[in-house]
Amino acid sequence: MTAFAKNTFYISIGFGLILGVECYTGWSNPTLTVKTGGSVTIPCHYDEKYTQQKKFLFSGTDKSNTFTNTTEENLSVIDHPDQSLFTVTIRNLQNKDTGNYYCVVETGEQPPIKMIYEPYLKIQSAPDVSVVNSSVSGHEGGDISVQCFYSPRYQDTLKQWCRYKDKICYTVGRTNTSQNSSVQISDDGRGSFTVLMTGLRLTDSGWYYCSAGEALNPVQLTVNEAEPGTVSDKVNETGILNDNNETEDTVATQNNELLTVWLPALAALLLLLILISVFTWRWRRRHKQDKHQIRRRTSSITTDVIYSKAEDPEMYSIINYENPNDPNKDITYSTIDNFPVREAEKPPAGGAIYSIIYSTVAPH
């Protein structure tokens, strides 16, 4: 930063009322607590009209400033114009780094600069407020959980989960839950509270913080698009973290109703198909058997040639008629007839053809 800009900043701080420096009043001296030797990322949101303007971090501890898109060993200041914010990451924090920091944009108008965020950084061996992970991610329609820890002296203070951008906060007592069903906060009363966000939307991505009293710790949430093959809920784009449980319940109810109607119908249809198949099989089998019997019976005409000798006594033929009312018995008709002697049918020596009996098996 030029000497002129640096001096302008000092004059703006010292004589804010005279110069009319615009200061952001959305925060009441937030205190970011970080463990000694640890790191922290501070989000600094600005108005979209300042996207092309210069931004920088001013450190009250060593009176230095760092412009955006600068990366040093223990300090990075990166602008994210697509999100209308720039982030400040400070690493390997020590006690000497405790103090005030200022996120500043140059307005290009009067007043020339604007302080958009003024956190107080407090380095502690045991931070008053801390999180397990300072960056969490989830998928659209899914859930995420964040555990926030606080020191014993904050046992009875107000616990909150807030979004940096629009300052929407969800509060919790010791065992209370948020009234918004998409954000549930529960305090175990033993030094930690848990934030559960359900039905995530892409617009939920951003920076949040856990707080107990005036102490807080930032958390970055990234919501990715739903994975292929999953069903994400349609959500209202006009608010933040609206509940989608009602939609899920409606879909589940409709599915249950469809199952109740269609399962019995499918079972009845399947049973009907089985019965038709069995009936058809039996009918075709019976039809084949009947055709075979008719064919066999129709062709059951036999001719018996009876040979006898001249001295044999006279033979008689008795025709027996089976009961025609018994379907299990065939009716046999026999006919006795003289048969002329042919050369091919000469009887054995000493015998003569007496008669021929034709027998016919008639189908019933």
Side-chain angles (χ1 to χ4, degrees):
M1 185 177 183
T2 63
F4 172 76
K6 186 173 181 179
N7 290 335
T8 302
F9 181 79
Y10 286 131
I11 295 174
S12 300
I13 295 294
F15 303 98
L17 293 177
I18 299 175
L19 296 179
V21 174
E22 184 178 359
C23 298
Y24 186 77
T25 58
W27 301 91
S28 56
N29 300 322
T31 300
L32 277 63
T33 58
V34 185
K35 186 176 182 179
T36 304
S39 63
V40 66
T41 298
I42 306 169
C44 303
H45 288 269
Y46 55 80
D47 194 290
E48 290 184 1
K49 66 181 181 179
Y50 299 130
T51 299
Q52 302 300 324
Q53 301 299 321
K54 292 182 178 180
K55 301 98 181 172
F56 61 92
L57 171 74
F58 178 79
S59 171
T61 58
D62 58 7
K63 305 302 186 288
S64 64
N65 52 72
T66 306
F67 279 96
T68 54
N69 300 326
T70 298
T71 300
E72 300 175 355
E73 182 179 359
N74 292 321
L75 176 65
S76 297
V77 182
I78 307 298
D79 191 13
H80 305 275
D82 57 324
Q83 303 176 44
S84 298
L85 65 86
F86 68 91
T87 56
V88 177
T89 301
I90 308 175
R91 295 172 285 271
N92 191 26
L93 288 162
Q94 303 299 322
N95 291 335
K96 64 181 180 63
D97 296 316
T98 296
N100 291 297
Y101 293 79
Y102 305 89
C103 295
V104 184
V105 296
E106 295 184 0
T107 64
E109 55 189 17
Q110 293 297 327
I113 60 175
K114 177 180 181 179
M115 290 180 289
I116 56 176
Y117 190 32
E118 306 174 47
Y120 178 79
L121 204 56
K122 187 176 183 180
I123 314 304
Q124 300 174 296
S125 57
D128 289 330
V129 174
S130 61
V131 294
V132 176
N133 296 308
S134 59
S135 179
V136 295
S137 62
H139 286 89
E140 186 179 12
D143 308 333
I144 61 97
S145 178
V146 178
Q147 188 172 15
C148 308
F149 297 92
Y150 56 85
S151 61
R153 71 191 189 95
Y154 289 96
Q155 177 76 34
D156 299 321
T157 59
L158 182 66
K159 318 298 190 310
Q160 290 184 312
W161 171 256
C162 302
R163 179 166 175 160
Y164 268 98
K165 184 177 182 179
D166 45 27
K167 311 305 178 296
I168 292 180
C169 293
Y170 302 93
T171 61
V172 63
R174 177 169 297 182
T175 57
N176 294 335
T177 58
S178 170
Q179 294 181 356
N180 189 321
S181 57
S182 291
V183 180
Q184 298 179 351
I185 309 175
S186 58
D187 186 1
D188 64 7
R190 297 188 300 273
S192 72
F193 64 93
T194 302
V195 179
L196 176 63
M197 296 179 64
T198 61
L200 293 173
R201 301 176 303 168
L202 296 177
T203 54
D204 292 333
S205 295
W207 284 89
Y208 297 78
Y209 62 85
C210 293
S211 69
E214 77 286 351
L216 58 87
N217 204 289
V219 177
Q220 183 182 24
L221 170 61
T222 302
V223 180
N224 301 307
E225 292 185 355
E227 294 179 338
T230 62
V231 178
S232 61
D233 296 312
K234 294 182 179 180
V235 292
N236 182 5
E237 296 294 337
T238 60
I240 177 174
L241 305 176
N242 288 339
D243 184 20
N244 67 341
N245 291 338
E246 183 177 352
T247 303
E248 294 178 351
D249 293 341
T250 301
V251 173
T253 301
Q254 293 175 349
N255 290 338
N256 290 336
E257 291 177 352
L258 289 176
L259 289 177
T260 303
V261 173
W262 284 104
L263 280 181
L266 290 175
L269 179 61
L270 180 61
L271 180 60
L272 180 61
L273 290 176
I274 293 174
L275 292 176
I276 293 175
S277 299
V278 172
F279 176 80
T280 303
W281 175 77
R282 289 178 62 87
W283 180 82
R284 295 185 65 178
R285 183 181 179 191
R286 180 63 181 271
H287 183 65
K288 288 182 179 179
Q289 289 178 346
D290 291 346
K291 289 178 64 176
H292 179 69
Q293 288 182 347
I294 292 172
R295 188 183 307 112
R296 178 173 56 82
R297 291 175 179 176
T298 303
S299 62
S300 297
I301 301 176
T302 60
T303 303
D304 295 328
V305 180
I306 301 175
Y307 299 96
S308 65
K309 295 181 180 181
E311 62 272 18
D312 288 341
E314 184 177 355
M315 298 180 67
Y316 297 92
S317 176
I318 299 176
I319 300 175
N320 294 326
Y321 293 90
E322 300 292 345
N323 183 6
N325 295 324
D326 189 347
N328 296 322
K329 294 183 179 181
D330 297 328
I331 302 174
T332 304
Y333 300 93
S334 299
T335 304
I336 301 175
D337 193 7
N338 293 326
F339 191 79
V341 177
R342 291 197 296 252
E343 187 67 24
E345 297 176 343
K346 288 183 178 181
I353 294 179
Y354 177 74
S355 64
I356 296 176
I357 300 175
Y358 298 95
S359 299
T360 303
V361 179
H364 48 75

